[in-house]
Amino acid sequence: MLKYLGKIWKFITHVRTGLANLIFILLIVFIVVSVANSDKQPLPDKAPLLVRISGKLVDQVTYEPTIFDLFEEEKEDTETLLRDVTTAIKHAAKDNRINGLLLNMNGLNASNFSKLEEIGQAIELFKESKKPVIAYADSYSQQQYFLASYADEIYINPMGNITITGFGYYGSYFKEAADKLSIKFHLFKVGNYKDAAEPFVRNSMSEASREHNSGWITELWQRYTDKVEAHRQLDSGTIETFVNNLKDTLADNKDSFANLAKKTGFVDDVVSRVSLNNKLIERFGKEKDADFFKAITYKRYLQEVKSPFPHNSNNIGLIVASGTIVDGKAPEGRIGGASLAKLIRKAQNDDSLEALIIRVDSGGGSAFASEVIRDELINAKQQGLPIYISMSSVAASGGYWLATAAEEIWALPSTITGSIGVWGLLPNISESMKRVGIHNDGFGTTSLSDLYQISRPLSPEAKQVFQTGVDNVYRQFINLVAEAREQTPEAIHKVAQGRVWTGQKALEFGLVDQLGTLDDLVASVAEKQQLSNYHVKVIRRTLSPSQEFLRAVMEEANTFGQSVRKGIVGEHISELVDTLPLDKIQSALPIDASPLQRIYAECLACMIP
């Protein structure tokens, strides 16, 4: 009896401690939210919308807030949700309270080309309202300047510069390192251009890889220069000439880089931070009780204009599929076959949805997981839910595999897609073990008993098994694409073999149906479904009540804790740098997996400058 009572007392103690901790946390949250909301003021009658993109532009935020974030002061976002930016700009275009658009480019440090174009489309829509668009930064990276070029006016700091270098694609190759370590990689692939695993078996880029990568990257660079020159009303070839002659121009010109940018027509004026602030005060007025220009941050604006209530009908569902495709479950930032399938079933059972859009931003991954997702989409479509695909920056290989289930596929001209091909990679460390005096021996009942033993040489029979598996998956890939696109497998094979295409080229080959942004597709779906009054409903994974509460608190605190002073704070510039992830070696290990589940439909080249 005493032992039983002791257990009850321990249980009561745990409950009491847990409740005390919960009350303490709720008290902290209440204080933080109260302080944040104390600064909440109604929107002014007239003010410009201030858009400051922090960190990387993404379709899906990967960061999960924790209670400890409440104690951090002025934490800078590492990611900015693309849809938030475009929604705020497009809504502001029709809002009489918004009298201009300010683009602070200092915070943006990484973005794919297509995402910048989507914001650019929103800016062009805003400009139709005849309201001014002004961009400013201390200095401009290549991505920052492309977005700034959409503005009516561009300003730069006297100490600043514009870093336009052109697009490039460079990777590390590990064969020599593997040879020195006596590690052998067995590569099984289909497709002359399928180069995702090349770095493990070569010391340099193959000619086939160089051929197709130079094609799409040159096409994107041409699009970049054409767009910027058109926006700034520069002669064709101005940017190419500027970049190629920059060394000599700087040597001959005794002026600052900023003044040179003004003379070339890249910017409209060179101004210090103080001068810029005064110029904007003169243009738009001054903040109350602060010596800074008047502005409404886009996050604050979204809180004002977004409806807090869910809509029970006429919804177009939106699921974001962003990241590498992997088997099983995965958090935001990766696409789990089981996770995404569960979201699709959730959408299928949502009676408020009239259609479903999958926003794909992925260079592929597991062929098995891609098929799991595609199969779930086909089932949803058969149950009467129309399925559409919006390709973001990348929707290639496994990303294209799952896209074939849609009724329509939309891409942007600068989307990277295609890469229809498969590969498998098996590391073998038998020679490495011998070098340090470790030997492997034993017996098996068949010639394939040591199929998954990376410490033993791969037998001819095993090689044949893996290559046959890759061949079969490629054949399945080709056939499902041919059926979905109403072409023959032979026709698809001609544009497949792992070759990467831009969205513009993919349209010409019949791999996509239309060119347009996510918003363009939403409008098209609404028209097809005859929805005059509709809403976009984002389908997310289900959070626990505590997670949902904490996320709402953090969003509230983050939004209203921001100061307009951030509008002119400069940040260090970092270019988009991406390399082949070394965890591919680990993920390629076929331990406890069938050959099919270790075959990849993934695109190495799908990294935009």
Side-chain angles (χ1 to χ4, degrees):
M1 177 63 71
L2 289 175
K3 185 177 181 181
Y4 180 70
L5 290 174
K7 289 182 177 180
I8 293 177
W9 181 253
K10 284 184 179 179
F11 174 76
I12 294 174
T13 301
H14 286 311
V15 171
R16 187 177 69 248
T17 303
L19 286 174
N21 290 339
L22 179 61
I23 293 172
F24 177 70
I25 292 173
L26 289 175
L27 179 62
I28 293 174
V29 168
F30 175 77
I31 294 172
V32 170
V33 174
S34 298
V35 172
N37 279 287
S38 66
D39 291 334
K40 184 177 178 181
Q41 301 292 332
L43 294 184
D45 293 335
K46 292 288 182 181
L49 181 71
L50 174 61
V51 173
R52 185 180 190 274
I53 301 171
S54 299
K56 183 178 182 179
L57 267 174
V58 295
D59 285 305
Q60 184 180 62
V61 175
T62 60
Y63 173 71
E64 288 292 338
T66 68
I67 192 67
F68 301 105
D69 295 329
L70 295 172
F71 302 98
E72 296 191 24
E73 294 185 14
E74 296 192 2
K75 182 176 181 179
E76 189 72 25
D77 293 334
T78 58
E79 297 170 320
T80 295
L81 197 60
L82 171 65
R83 184 161 176 77
D84 280 353
V85 176
T86 57
T87 298
I89 294 175
K90 289 184 177 182
H91 199 288
K94 300 174 288 186
D95 192 334
N96 292 330
R97 294 172 297 181
I98 303 298
N99 60 358
L101 175 61
L102 305 179
L103 303 174
N104 181 339
M105 305 309 305
N106 283 317
L108 174 65
N109 61 26
S111 175
N112 298 110
F113 188 22
S114 64
K115 291 182 176 64
L116 298 175
E117 286 198 287
E118 291 201 62
I119 296 179
Q121 184 195 67
I123 294 172
E124 288 179 334
L125 179 66
F126 185 92
K127 289 167 74 171
E128 292 178 6
S129 67
K130 306 303 180 183
K131 304 172 187 177
V133 179
I134 299 172
Y136 61 92
D138 295 330
S139 291
Y140 293 90
S141 68
Q142 194 156 260
Q143 294 101 326
Q144 291 170 334
Y145 185 73
F146 178 78
L147 188 56
S149 72
Y150 283 88
D152 300 309
E153 305 167 33
I154 303 178
Y155 297 102
I156 192 172
N157 191 277
M159 296 292 291
N161 60 69
I162 300 176
T163 309
I164 300 178
T165 59
F167 291 171
Y169 168 57
Y170 305 95
S172 299
Y173 291 79
F174 314 115
K175 183 180 183 302
E176 185 176 348
D179 289 343
K180 290 180 178 179
L181 297 172
S182 297
I183 300 175
K184 186 173 184 180
F185 290 97
H186 298 281
L187 175 61
F188 308 93
K189 70 170 186 173
V190 181
N192 293 333
Y193 303 97
K194 197 65 180 176
D195 53 8
E198 267 193 7
F200 295 113
V201 297
R202 293 181 58 89
N203 288 323
S204 62
M205 185 181 290
S206 68
E207 287 306 311
S209 180
R210 191 179 304 277
E211 176 190 339
H212 84 99
N213 285 323
S214 63
W216 63 262
I217 206 166
T218 300
E219 185 179 344
L220 289 186
W221 174 241
Q222 187 64 54
R223 184 171 181 82
Y224 180 100
T225 58
D226 288 348
K227 283 270 189 178
V228 171
E229 288 165 355
H231 295 158
R232 296 298 299 168
Q233 299 180 356
L234 301 173
D235 293 337
S236 179
T238 297
I239 293 178
E240 193 87 29
T241 301
F242 177 81
V243 174
N244 291 331
N245 297 331
L246 182 58
K247 177 177 68 71
D248 295 333
T249 303
L250 289 174
D252 297 338
N253 199 305
K254 304 304 180 184
D255 215 340
S256 68
F257 199 114
N259 286 330
L260 180 60
K262 180 180 179 180
K263 291 177 182 177
T264 311
F266 288 157
V267 301
D268 293 283
D269 204 357
V270 179
V271 292
S272 67
R273 290 187 180 186
V274 172
S275 297
L276 175 64
N277 186 55
N278 292 336
K279 184 185 287 285
L280 293 177
I281 288 176
E282 183 179 344
R283 189 87 165 263
F284 299 107
K286 188 170 66 170
E287 278 289 324
K288 185 179 179 181
D289 302 325
D291 195 23
F292 293 96
F293 62 87
K294 183 188 296 184
I296 305 167
T297 64
Y298 81 93
K299 287 187 177 182
R300 169 72 180 90
Y301 182 68
L302 281 177
Q303 288 285 336
E304 185 76 20
V305 300
K306 272 186 176 179
S307 172
F309 304 106
H311 302 278
N312 297 320
S313 62
N314 287 356
N315 287 320
I316 297 174
L318 173 64
I319 294 177
V320 176
S322 178
T324 301
I325 302 172
V326 298
D327 297 319
K329 297 180 180 180
E332 277 83 354
R334 302 185 89 185
I335 304 171
S339 305
L340 189 54
K342 184 177 180 180
L343 283 183
I344 295 166
R345 287 193 295 274
K346 181 179 179 181
Q348 179 185 324
N349 296 325
D350 189 336
D351 294 333
S352 74
L353 299 188
E354 301 295 333
L356 176 64
I357 295 174
I358 308 294
R359 172 72 163 184
V360 181
D361 193 11
S362 172
S366 165
F368 183 81
S370 300
E371 175 57 20
V372 168
I373 297 166
R374 188 194 74 90
D375 187 49
E376 198 67 51
L377 289 172
I378 291 293
N379 180 63
K381 197 163 65 169
Q382 291 173 346
Q383 298 302 316
L385 183 64
I387 304 293
Y388 298 87
I389 295 292
S390 169
M391 291 181 168
S392 183
S393 301
V394 179
S397 207
Y400 189 83
W401 184 307
L402 66 89
T404 59
E407 298 185 27
E408 286 186 8
I409 300 175
W410 286 54
L412 289 111
S414 53
T415 294
I416 297 302
T417 187
S419 192
I420 300 170
V422 295
W423 62 274
L425 186 71
L426 282 177
N428 187 277
I429 61 172
S430 58
E431 292 299 322
S432 299
M433 293 175 64
K434 288 180 182 179
R435 286 180 59 184
V436 294
I438 302 175
H439 302 272
N440 185 280
D441 196 9
F443 67 92
T445 57
T446 72
S447 60
L448 296 179
S449 293
D450 61 353
L451 183 66
Y452 295 143
Q453 294 291 325
I454 65 170
S455 57
R456 295 179 60 80
L458 199 63
S459 67
E461 293 86 355
K463 292 179 182 179
Q464 184 60 47
V465 167
F466 277 104
Q467 186 60 55
T468 301
V470 169
D471 292 341
N472 288 339
V473 174
Y474 179 72
R475 187 159 45 247
Q476 182 182 352
F477 200 169
I478 289 292
N479 288 337
L480 68 88
V481 172
E483 181 180 357
R485 305 309 302 170
E486 298 182 349
Q487 297 187 41
T488 65
E490 293 75 19
I492 296 299
H493 178 66
K494 289 181 180 179
V495 296
Q497 302 184 63
R499 187 148 191 169
V500 174
W501 306 106
T502 63
Q504 183 69 54
K505 286 292 184 181
L507 178 65
E508 296 174 15
F509 295 134
L511 296 177
V512 303
D513 297 288
Q514 297 283 345
L515 296 179
T517 65
L518 173 59
D519 287 340
D520 293 332
L521 175 54
V522 168
S524 175
V525 171
E527 183 178 354
K528 285 182 172 63
Q529 300 300 317
Q530 298 180 338
L531 305 176
S532 57
N533 184 24
Y534 61 89
H535 308 275
V536 175
K537 183 176 182 179
V538 180
I539 311 298
R540 297 187 177 94
R541 65 187 177 95
T542 303
L543 300 177
S544 67
S546 59
Q547 287 175 316
E548 196 71 67
F549 177 73
L550 183 57
R551 172 176 283 183
V553 168
M554 290 304 302
E555 287 179 353
E556 185 83 2
N558 183 51
T559 299
F560 296 116
Q562 289 180 349
S563 168
V564 176
R565 290 173 176 81
K566 286 189 176 182
I568 56 174
V569 174
E571 298 294 332
H572 294 295
I573 298 170
S574 65
E575 293 289 346
L576 175 60
V577 179
D578 212 342
T579 59
L580 179 72
L582 294 178
D583 61 4
K584 284 288 186 300
I585 298 177
Q586 180 180 353
S587 66
L589 296 177
I591 306 302
D592 297 329
S594 70
L596 173 62
Q597 288 175 298
R598 287 302 175 182
I599 294 174
Y600 294 87
E602 190 164 22
C603 167
L604 170 65
C606 299
M607 297 177 287
I608 315 301

